[in-house]
Amino acid sequence: MANLAFVFGLLGNIVSFMVFLAPIPTFYQIYKKRSTAGFQSLPYIVGFFSAMLWMYYAFLKPETTLLITINSVGCFVQSAYICFYLVFATKDTRIQTVKLLLSLNVVGFGLVLFLTQFFATEANRASIVGWICLVFSLCVFVAPLGVVRQVIRTKSVEYMPFLLSVFLTLSAVMWFFYGLLRKDYNIAIPNILGFSFGVIQMVLYLIYKNAKKGGLQEKQLSEVLEVKIEEHKISELKEQIIDVVKLGGMALEIIPLVAEDGIILGGEKTGSLE
């Protein structure tokens, strides 16, 4: 069982590493635009805090090397994302990000560390930190409900990448079996919810993946029809102008007259276009 738990933990490390790399396209867009407009720093700060909590929990438990390795990578990657975000953020956004980072990752984690070290016994310290990790992970897994609601409302999967949903689901499966085989339910229980939401997201993607294409085709068809209608109106207008000119059939012609006393006189006459 220990060997099987190691296999699932190793696979969990690999899949979780792929999840950590998922935001790279987002930060590439930030780099190209030289702006963080439209993007939030909260997911990366929360991810950083989660990795810190789980790494602290892993240090309190025996034989948790795989938890330490992946959460060490998570701390490094998330902190790199936050630093990159701060470089291109506006002054107000930078201040808000720093405040959030200090309140959650410094003050929040500091309180957890202080209270569990000085007010909890060595026997129940790991259990208390495990429950904190469990509750926080459940809150993190519930967060995608906003995206699910948006997909159902707009019938579009534009803001729900399929590959990310797949990797999150696989990650939840691996860590669930790792926790189950180790009889560590603080790890296993949150990943049941993570797996459930991952499956829901993939099902919604399969349902609405063609809705966006259909919407785009309808929009393009509507634009083409509008252009055709405008061209037809312009063509009709031109024909009407030509008909009016033909029916009026009048043109002006300047007739030079004799200059008298240094003053040039002129006149005009009308004539048919025919």
Side-chain angles (χ1 to χ4, degrees):
M1 295 293 283
N3 291 334
L4 195 57
F6 177 80
V7 170
F8 277 107
L10 186 61
L11 291 173
N13 270 253
I14 295 170
V15 178
S16 296
F17 181 72
M18 299 301 294
V19 173
F20 286 143
L21 298 182
I24 287 179
T26 298
F27 284 92
Y28 181 65
Q29 291 183 36
I30 291 174
Y31 173 75
K32 286 200 303 182
K33 295 179 180 179
R34 296 292 194 276
S35 171
T36 60
F39 299 102
Q40 301 294 325
S41 62
L42 182 62
Y44 314 108
I45 293 174
V46 169
F48 188 24
F49 181 65
S50 178
M52 292 169 68
L53 279 177
W54 281 110
M55 191 159 63
Y56 177 42
Y57 174 72
F59 279 119
L60 298 174
K61 299 279 287 185
E63 299 178 4
T64 52
T65 305
L66 293 173
L67 269 181
I68 294 171
T69 53
I70 191 57
N71 285 291
S72 299
V73 172
C75 286
F76 174 77
V77 173
Q78 299 294 352
S79 59
Y81 287 152
I82 294 167
C83 291
F84 193 90
Y85 185 91
L86 290 172
V87 170
F88 294 100
T90 61
K91 184 179 178 180
D92 292 339
T93 305
R94 191 179 295 121
I95 291 172
Q96 291 175 0
T97 301
V98 171
K99 286 181 178 178
L100 186 59
L101 185 65
L102 291 174
S103 60
L104 188 61
N105 296 71
V106 178
V107 177
F109 183 74
L111 281 173
V112 171
L113 195 64
F114 176 78
L115 293 174
T116 53
Q117 285 293 325
F118 292 99
F119 294 95
T121 62
E122 188 174 350
N124 62 9
R125 185 176 297 132
S127 178
I128 292 172
V129 175
W131 273 101
I132 294 172
C133 291
L134 188 152
V135 172
F136 186 78
S137 295
L138 288 175
C139 294
V140 171
F141 281 127
V142 168
L145 279 176
V147 178
V148 170
R149 185 171 61 252
Q150 184 180 13
V151 169
I152 295 173
R153 188 179 68 252
T154 61
K155 294 182 173 55
S156 171
V157 294
E158 182 179 0
Y159 299 103
M160 191 178 69
F162 182 70
L163 284 178
L164 181 58
S165 299
V166 171
F167 282 126
L168 287 172
T169 305
L170 288 175
S171 177
V173 170
M174 300 306 167
W175 288 113
F176 167 75
F177 282 108
Y178 174 80
L180 187 66
L181 292 169
R182 286 180 53 88
K183 297 182 180 180
D184 191 333
Y185 301 109
N186 293 321
I187 298 174
I189 291 174
N191 285 290
I192 296 174
L193 193 62
F195 171 76
S196 302
F197 280 125
V199 171
I200 290 171
Q201 289 181 36
M202 287 190 292
V203 170
L204 286 175
Y205 186 90
L206 294 175
I207 293 173
Y208 294 114
K209 67 176 182 177
N210 295 322
K212 182 180 176 182
K213 294 179 181 179
L216 286 174
Q217 290 175 353
E218 289 178 2
K219 184 178 179 182
Q220 290 173 353
L221 181 60
S222 176
E223 290 176 351
V224 170
L225 288 174
E226 288 179 0
V227 171
K228 292 293 184 182
I229 290 170
E230 290 296 327
E231 289 178 351
H232 182 66
K233 287 181 178 178
I234 291 171
S235 177
E236 287 184 345
L237 183 61
K238 286 181 179 179
E239 291 177 358
Q240 290 175 3
I241 293 172
I242 292 171
D243 289 342
V244 169
V245 171
K246 284 182 177 180
L247 289 172
M250 304 300 291
L252 295 178
E253 180 181 351
I254 303 298
I255 303 174
L257 298 179
V258 181
E260 294 182 358
D261 298 329
I263 300 174
I264 300 175
L265 302 177
E268 60 184 28
K269 71 175 183 178
T270 60
S272 173
L273 288 175
E274 298 176 356

